[in-house]
Amino acid sequence: MLPEAIAAMAEELARTGNASSLHASGRRARAVVEEARETVAAALGAHPLEVVFTSGGTEADNLAVTGLYRARRAEDPRRVRVLASAVEHHAVLDPVQALAAEGATVELLPVDALGRLRLDALEAALTADPESVALVSVMWANNEVGTVQPVAEVVALAEPYGIPVHSDAVQAAGTLPVDFTGSGLHCLSVSAHKFGGPVGSGALLVRRGTALAPVLHGGGQEGGVRSGTLDPPAVRGFSVALAAAVEASVATSARVAGLRDRLVAGVLAAVPTAVPHGDPAPGGRLPGIAHFTFPGCDGDSLLYLLDARGIECSTGSACQAGVQQASHVLLAMGLSDAQARGALRFSLGHTSTEADVDAVLEAIGPVVERASAASIAASVAGVGA
């Protein structure tokens, strides 16, 4: 967390007050929430009334996808198709798939080898039967390989048909320029922990006039769209972090992108067989993500070997019900299952330093060599068995 966000949240934690109560403490808490709402709106190019506070990006995505679908379906039962890119975060993919139980027809749109949505596929899906489309969901930037998606073009294709578009901007907010009003989107999700705010706090921006069915029911907070007692300390920490991150985003992104580029070049020099992923063009991917696949290596082995050296990264794969699965993002980009299992993602942020990059570059060669040897040994043992 950013120091100023910690200070703001800690100050608020020492106070009491339910923002829905009418007594003095409640009114003071309400003032904190509304000031935070104005700050978030200003930072993201939205109107304060368009900011719905949530517990984070996952809830915001669920509310957007499910809320838009149910509202649109209630207006016109023919609207059963849900279009989403095949590389969405599971916070979008899972609720989209869950809507199938309510009669939704889910269509996952293909991406190219860089992980970018194929606009021709979206256009074909829209023009085939626009009256049956409930919504479109395309993330602002991919969380695994970092590729920035053509959100403006997506909105331009959907707008003539009056089809609402949602974008998961969890990875982008506070790093890339995000203008909600200018984007033409109907809904946009953000999460505080991605830009130095508290974990468990986020928001869904909802364009005024957009019909959205609530997912949580109870006290009718947040304009009846998201019931639940508001958390003034988290909301204030969220808003302070976002304002600070947006103000420093140009300088921070340039510095972090420089670290990433040095990391990518160093890894490729140390391990010539490594394959980088994501759009390498200027502005084509998030500044803080460096993604590779290492042929002949298991991503988990690489992760644990690096972790033993004090280097924390991720594999980009999910473990569901105890069964390893290759990244759906990499598979959608055309990689084989075996290739996708050798993936590593390095994430850099405002705390990252040159020394961090040095540590990775010193370790990556020996670690890959050891993981590769282990993979060969395991393969030989399996053949022998």
Side-chain angles (χ1 to χ4, degrees), residues 102-199:
E102 301 180 23
T105 300
V106 178
E107 299 177 32
L108 299 183
L109 304 171
V111 298
D112 61 21
L114 298 176
R116 181 173 288 108
L117 174 71
R118 283 180 45 194
L119 291 170
D120 61 332
L122 171 61
E123 184 174 18
L126 289 172
T127 57
D129 185 8
E131 296 298 324
S132 66
V133 180
L135 70 134
V136 176
S137 185
V138 176
M139 65 199 331
W140 199 289
N142 185 260
N143 56 296
E144 290 191 28
V145 299
T147 297
V148 177
Q149 299 295 341
V151 173
E153 289 86 345
V154 170
V155 171
L157 287 172
E159 190 172 29
Y161 305 109
I163 297 170
V165 180
H166 161 251
S167 186
D168 176 344
V170 168
Q171 293 286 340
T175 298
L176 303 179
V178 173
D179 180 356
F180 180 61
T181 300
S183 71
L185 291 165
H186 288 74
C187 291
L188 180 143
S189 306
V190 296
S191 188
H193 74 286
K194 290 297 182 181
F195 43 74
V199 172

Side-chain angles (χ1 to χ4, degrees), residues 12 15 28-37 232 235-236:
E12 213 55 50
R15 298 169 176 162
R28 190 207 61 77
R30 170 58 65 179
V32 170
V33 169
E34 295 312 318
E35 288 174 8
R37 198 185 308 277
V235 164
R236 186 177 171 199

Side-chain angles (χ1 to χ4, degrees), residues 297-306 315 367 371 374:
C297 295
D298 179 78
D300 285 340
S301 296
L302 293 170
L303 185 152
Y304 291 125
L305 289 169
L306 288 169
T315 61
V367 161

